[in-house]
Amino acid sequence: MNFELRAVPKPKHKRFKRTAKERGRITSEVYEAALERSGGRCERCGKCDYLQCAHLIRRWKVEVETTVNDVAMLCGPSVNTGTCHNIIDYTQAGKEWAEEYRDRLYRRAKINE
């Protein structure tokens, strides 16, 4: 078998749509605002152990960029069973709570405008 190399130049245009990873990135401003909103406590159970900023919806569902209403400060880490971050990531009841809480945050933001 003979193979020949047919080099093709790279395209000069950039990607038009941002990737899910880029859209889902939690900026320091969003993190600080979520931490201030939570008062240093888990927004689901009220503990103040080890807090993580968790997405309330999947990153690929974020349309433009992650806002403070798309995240919550939850006790973690997400890999430990029984933590709030783990519950909203891996259980149906947790996913329902996250969706309801996100809706509540957006309604509250709309009222405050």
Side-chain angles (χ1 to χ4, degrees):
M1 284 194 204
N2 289 335
F3 294 103
E4 62 182 270
L5 178 65
R6 294 184 183 174
V8 177
K10 278 187 154 183
K12 300 216 185 280
H13 66 349
K14 293 206 176 214
R15 184 182 174 99
F16 294 114
K17 185 177 179 184
R18 294 171 61 203
T19 63
K21 187 174 184 177
E22 292 170 339
R23 292 188 315 266
R25 184 171 290 126
I26 299 173
T27 63
S28 58
E29 294 85 18
V30 169
Y31 182 89
E32 292 298 324
L35 186 61
E36 184 179 327
R37 179 185 68 214
S38 73
R41 295 189 169 274
C42 176
E43 294 185 67
R44 186 171 178 272
C45 69
K47 293 180 186 174
C48 54
D49 294 337
Y50 176 75
L51 294 179
Q52 289 183 325
C53 196
H55 284 92
L56 295 172
I57 60 168
R58 300 286 172 231
R59 289 201 290 190
W60 58 269
K61 289 186 176 182
V62 174
E63 293 179 13
V64 180
E65 65 181 13
T66 301
T67 65
V68 71
N69 296 327
D70 296 327
V71 296
M73 296 304 288
L74 300 174
C75 56
S78 65
V79 293
N80 287 4
T81 305
T83 62
C84 292
H85 196 164
N86 179 275
I87 290 169
I88 72 156
D89 280 352
Y90 300 108
T91 66
Q92 186 61 37
K95 290 175 184 177
E96 290 169 2
W97 177 87
E99 190 175 315
E100 290 169 11
Y101 189 66
R102 181 174 178 263
D103 291 341
R104 205 174 334 147
L105 290 174
Y106 270 102
R107 282 194 307 267
R108 188 182 309 159
K110 199 173 205 177
I111 290 169
N112 290 337
E113 284 182 351

